Amino acid sequence: MNWKVLENVNQLEEIKEASHHKFQLIFKHSTRCIISKMALKNFESDFLMHDAIDVYYLDLIVYRDISNKIADDSGITHQSPQVLLIKDGKVVYHESHEGIDSNVLMKLI
């Protein structure tokens, strides 16, 4: 998986801008949660569209402020784990926990 690490709140504006040209995905991950660890592992093994989308990894333990900013800006309640698919500056799909399914995402892209 070719993750881009989301570690600065200013990257959110870059992601929004890039979403006008290419889908962007943020994977919010808690390094302390076994469910999050399993969801990340399953996502990485099943997701096959690395070139069609930019994928960002957000470590919620270290960068909770970024997650809070995403929730504030999008109006989508913070969850962990959680994926957010962004197109044209807006979240067009989001899912959390066991609902994270690479096959669903690939159909949307």
Side-chain angles (χ1 to χ4, degrees):
M1 196 80 183
N2 194 18
W3 292 108
K4 295 181 180 191
V5 179
L6 181 49
E7 57 192 359
N8 184 313
V9 74
N10 295 327
Q11 286 176 276
L12 296 176
E13 200 55 44
E14 295 169 15
I15 291 168
K16 240 187 235 185
E17 282 301 311
S19 76
H20 290 281
H21 308 287
K22 185 178 188 181
F23 279 100
Q24 307 291 299
L25 182 122
I26 298 173
F27 191 107
K28 294 179 172 186
H29 175 63
S30 171
T31 56
R32 296 182 186 159
C33 173
I34 190 69
I35 293 171
S36 192
K37 194 174 285 192
M38 288 173 46
L40 178 64
K41 182 181 175 188
N42 290 340
F43 182 83
E44 287 180 319
S45 66
D46 294 343
F47 192 73
L48 304 173
M49 300 188 72
H50 308 144
D51 295 334
I53 186 171
D54 293 328
V55 287
Y56 288 84
Y57 170 91
L58 177 60
D59 180 336
L60 294 172
I61 304 304
V62 178
Y63 301 109
R64 182 58 188 257
D65 60 323
I66 297 174
S67 179
N68 291 340
K69 174 82 170 133
I70 292 168
D72 289 345
D73 289 354
S74 68
I76 297 168
T77 303
H78 162 79
Q79 303 265 344
S80 170
Q82 184 176 46
V83 293
L84 300 115
L85 184 64
I86 303 157
K87 182 66 178 156
D88 296 327
K90 306 262 189 241
V91 175
V92 295
Y93 174 81
H94 63 95
E95 189 56 76
S96 64
H97 296 87
E98 293 86 7
I100 297 172
D101 186 338
S102 294
N103 294 314
V104 171
L105 283 167
M106 289 187 291
K107 289 176 185 174
L108 295 170
I109 299 169

